[in-house]
Every structure is written in C-alpha cells, then in structure tokens.
Amino acid sequence: MQIAIDGPASAGKSTIAKLVAKKLGYIYCDTGAMYRTVTYMALKDQLPLDDETTILQHLSQLQIRFAPGDPEQRVFMNDEDVTLAIREPDVTNNVSQVAALPGVRTELVERQRDIAAKHDIVMDGRDIGTTVLPHAALKIFMVASVSERANRRYKENVQKGIKTPLATLEAEIAERDRKDSQRKVSPLRQAADAIRIDTTRMTIEEVVAKILALVAEKKQAD
Ligand code: CDP
Ligand code: CDP
C-alpha cells in the first residue's frame, strides 16, 4: 500500500504523514528532507547552487538515510546526523533552487521509488502523486491558507526560540510556493486522482482521522 501526500509548505504534510504511518504500521518517507540534505551538502561544500554537474558528482557519493529515533525519525548524510541542520533557514531559503535541478530530481526520485518498493509507505512531498508514485493507492493534496501556514511556522519557531516576524515568514512561504509551482520539472500540482484536504480550520487529529477513513474505504473497495 502506498499513500502519497503532497502540498505546499506547512500545510501539515509531515505531521499528518508521520501519525498516519504510525497508526497503520507503515514506514514514513520525508522526500523534502532528501532535497534539504542535498542543499545542505551543497552549502557546506560551497558548491554554486546552479552547478548541476558538480552537485550531481557530490550526490553520487552521498548516502541519505532515515533512522528510527525518539521522538523524531533521524536523517543521516553518510555518517552525519543532519536532522536539525537541514531545517536551518539557510537550507530552507535555498532548497527550492536545488530542487529545481532536473538531474537532482531524477536521482532522488529513483532513490524514493527504491524505498517505496520495499515497504508499505506514507510518502510526502510535492510530486509524489504526480511523478514518484503515480499508482499510489491513495493520493492526498493537502492545502491551507498562506496566513494559516505562516502562523503555524511562527508558533513552531517560538518554541525553538526563533523570532522571525510573521510577515517575513508569510513572504518566504509564498515565495517557496511560487518557485515550487513554477519550476519546469515536476512542479507542485494536484494529481488528477488526488483528494484535496484543506486543513486551514482542521485540527491535526481531524486530518488524521479523515485520511484513516479514506484508507479504510480503499481497503474495503479492493
Ligand atoms: O516542510 P516544508 O514544507 O518546509 O518543506 P519540505 O517538505 O521539507 O520540502 C522542502 C523543499 O524541497 C520544497 O520547498 C521543495 O522545493 C522541495 N521538494 C520537492 O521539490 N519535491 C519533493 N517531493 C519534496 C520537496
Ligand atoms: O510538512 P509540512 O511543511 O506540510 O507541514 P508540517 O511541518 O507538518 O506542519 C507545520 C505545522 O503546522 C506543525 O507545527 C504542525 O503541528 C501544524 N499543524 C497544525 O497546526 N494543524 C494541522 N491541521 C496540521 C499541522
């Protein structure tokens, strides 16, 4: 069983995907973390972010691995735990540029399909339903208003002690949405057979319950 969850930044994809995977006993694959890891590598190695050839050479030497962790799944770049580093603003503000490189997408999509071939899985990202897993049993396209998404990021930041103004967060999210939706290769868009869920006024529990009900419906229909 493959469940694909796509949508713009901070719509709630990863929070919900993790909980759904846990409930069903499936693994969770955070494809955004993979694009973030490549971006982190490029920044760390001081590679020009438009030099696809060099980035691909470095990527070929790079293992990106998810490991169980408590409470969060950990992300490893070779032997380095990059779980926190890939969430830093520098990575967040540059990831859309790296994710637009066609060769990077080809390589990561291949790795994502390899992971999905081996397990029942919940995978979240931008192009899972359209490109990575076009035959997924259930496809969700999760959205929320920009102001609600900026609010959510703001609250997360407050907990981490980061004080970026709400207006800045809103502008950053809108800009990332624009870049992700307008890129040539696998832009962010809803698959024709995806179910749209607007989480603006929904709690996390409500969204999880809705998806579990859709999974149960699918299983019954098969
Ligand atoms: O969690 P957040 O919404 O901030 O983003 P993410 O899922 O960690 O993804 C970070 C970035 O990676 C996105 O803004 C996209 O540029 C890129 N991405 C992508 O292009 N394709 C995917 N399947 C997943 C992420
Ligand atoms: O993965 P994505 O960027 O789509 O979003 P996320 O990181 O899962 O969610 C962003 C924030 O919104 C988290 O702090 C969630 O707890 C929160 N959230 C919420 O308040 N209500 C929802 N229905 C979904 C997520």
Side-chain angles (χ1 to χ4, degrees):
M1 178 89 160
Q2 296 176 337
I3 301 175
I5 303 184
D6 291 300
S10 291
K13 302 178 299 295
S14 59
T15 307
I16 307 295
K18 272 178 220 161
L19 291 167
V20 169
K22 199 170 175 186
K23 276 269 182 203
L24 295 171
Y26 294 3
I27 68 160
Y28 162 58
C29 178
D30 176 356
T31 64
M34 298 172 80
Y35 289 96
R36 283 173 180 274
T37 301
V38 179
T39 307
Y40 172 77
M41 169 205 77
L43 292 171
K44 189 177 173 194
D45 296 349
Q46 297 185 320
L47 310 179
L49 298 185
D50 55 359
D51 182 354
E52 185 174 51
T53 309
T54 309
I55 291 180
L56 283 176
Q57 271 165 4
H58 283 238
L59 178 55
S60 69
Q61 306 301 314
L62 204 74
Q63 199 196 18
I64 304 171
R65 199 163 45 83
F66 296 102
D70 192 15
E72 291 289 304
Q73 174 172 282
R74 313 299 298 176
V75 186
F76 283 87
M77 180 175 89
N78 296 333
D79 290 331
E80 182 182 347
D81 184 338
V82 295
T83 314
L84 295 178
I86 61 171
R87 305 285 156 197
E88 291 291 325
D90 207 17
V91 173
T92 302
N93 292 329
N94 286 294
V95 61
S96 293
Q97 187 181 347
V98 174
L101 299 172
V104 169
R105 300 204 71 83
T106 305
E107 171 64 23
L108 292 189
V109 167
E110 200 173 303
R111 295 188 191 192
Q112 289 154 13
R113 287 183 180 146
D114 279 350
I115 298 171
K118 297 184 194 117
H119 312 270
D120 285 324
I121 197 163
V122 183
M123 188 177 273
D124 80 340
R126 302 292 187 286
D127 60 341
I128 312 306
T130 52
T131 305
V132 183
L133 305 176
H135 304 297
L138 180 64
K139 298 180 187 178
I140 304 292
F141 196 75
M142 204 175 275
V143 297
S145 70
V146 176
S147 61
E148 172 62 19
R149 291 188 280 131
N151 259 320
R152 291 177 184 172
R153 265 297 136 94
Y154 186 81
K155 283 186 200 152
E156 270 181 354
N157 282 353
V158 167
Q159 280 177 356
K160 291 185 203 157
I162 305 170
K163 289 201 184 97
T164 314
L166 191 58
T168 309
L169 289 176
E170 197 164 322
E172 282 173 4
I173 285 179
E175 174 62 7
R176 200 140 59 88
D177 286 354
R178 191 187 63 76
K179 284 190 188 147
D180 290 345
S181 308
Q182 291 183 359
R183 69 170 172 241
K184 289 205 183 73
V185 188
S186 301
L188 168 68
R189 65 179 173 79
Q190 181 171 350
D193 52 351
I195 296 166
R196 193 178 184 91
I197 302 182
D198 186 337
T199 72
T200 307
R201 287 183 193 79
M202 290 173 82
T203 64
I204 292 169
E205 293 73 24
E206 285 169 339
V207 184
V208 171
K210 181 160 176 100
I211 294 178
L212 290 175
L214 290 168
V215 172
E217 261 176 45
K218 281 275 166 203
K219 283 187 174 164
Q220 224 167 21
D222 288 345

